[in-house]
Amino acid sequence: MERDPRVCVIGEDVGHYGGSYKVTKDLAGKYGDLRVLDTPIAENSFTGMAIGAAMTGLRPIVEGMNMGFLLLAFNQISNNCGMLHYTSGGQFKIPVVIRGPGGVGRQLGAEHSQRLESYFQSIPGIQMVACSTPYNAKGLMKAAIRSDNPVILFEHVLLYNLKERIPDEEYVLNLEEAEMVRPGEHVTILTYSRMRYHVMQAAKTLVNKGYDPEVIDIRSLKPFDLYTIGNSVKKTHRVLIVEECMRTGGIGASLTAAITENFHDYLDAQIVCLSSQDVPTPYAGTLEEWTVVQPTQIVTAVQQLCR
């Protein structure tokens, strides 16, 4: 916002309250109420307003207090945000960033535990990225703001408390590039967001058992970084996908299709996908835990893949 006066933030409680998870803390005092604009509880209205502002040359950042609430703005995100550059014959760019907390939290109930990447992935013209560390959250956010394309940035409700030393100097990450988290030889594990930490926990167990997993945080949910993914598949010949998204129509399903279409001849085993169960997320803590993938399931899946 300091670098570019066209950047503004729009959403519920983003102003003097600092956002529901304090992502915009102190920004209203620094940049004023018009650049950090508190809105009514009306996601369809303020998302549409942000898209209109982008058409006039601003670079709005829309915060959904919870990503599940953005379903109320689905028409604006799909029919306007994703398509206006095309339907206007290229007359308008829509440099909008839509971001906010999502994923399965700690007993937040079904409506506040949405994983909307499966809903939004089929919208033409939209890019989707998921951050998983403070370092890539900052780098991806900067890249999304500077992009002329509409970008949905998925943040996980349970990752806001992570701490990490990040560079003082300027850096911007590539919106379409995966991250090699751990090189390995035996199996490629593709994951993103919170599940990165479940995978790395499982990787410690797997190494102790004699396995050498390669872990990739795909980060770009649309489009996929098939260059990085393909090179890994050609090396390990086995793929395990671990996601918190729903199994039916999720990111894992699309990733499975992309790998099968492009790298089928390099596979020595069927692709395995571990996803959340196709049920509303329960409020009860024990039941909630059972609906998402756990590290023990990842260990078992790798052992079966590498037999």
Side-chain angles (χ1 to χ4, degrees), residues 129-152:
V129 290
C131 57
S132 55
T133 69
Y135 176 84
N136 68 36
K138 181 179 180 180
L140 292 172
M141 174 74 82
K142 283 188 173 185
I145 293 170
R146 297 177 191 186
S147 173
D148 285 334
N149 298 313
V151 179
I152 302 179

Side-chain angles (χ1 to χ4, degrees), residues 20 148-149 195 225 255 307:
S20 56
D148 285 334
N149 298 313
M195 283 295 120
D225 178 5
L255 193 51
R307 281 189 304 193

Side-chain angles (χ1 to χ4, degrees), residues 59 81 85 93-97 125-127 143-152 175-176:
R59 291 183 172 270
C81 191
H85 180 66
K93 296 176 181 177
I94 315 294
V96 173
V97 178
I126 295 279
Q127 282 189 272
I145 293 170
R146 297 177 191 186
S147 173
D148 285 334
N149 298 313
V151 179
I152 302 179
L175 288 174
E176 301 178 11

Side-chain angles (χ1 to χ4, degrees), residues 222-234:
K222 183 185 179 183
F224 296 129
D225 178 5
L226 291 179
Y227 177 80
T228 300
I229 293 169
N231 284 340
S232 181
V233 172
K234 292 172 184 178

Side-chain angles (χ1 to χ4, degrees), residues 69-106:
F69 302 160
L70 290 177
L71 289 174
L72 296 165
F74 196 91
N75 176 62
Q76 285 73 20
I77 294 170
S78 58
N79 286 330
N80 302 148
C81 191
M83 299 184 189
L84 268 171
H85 180 66
Y86 172 78
T87 56
S88 70
Q91 295 180 75
F92 297 111
K93 296 176 181 177
I94 315 294
V96 173
V97 178
I98 299 172
R99 50 152 296 272
V104 178
R106 287 194 167 88

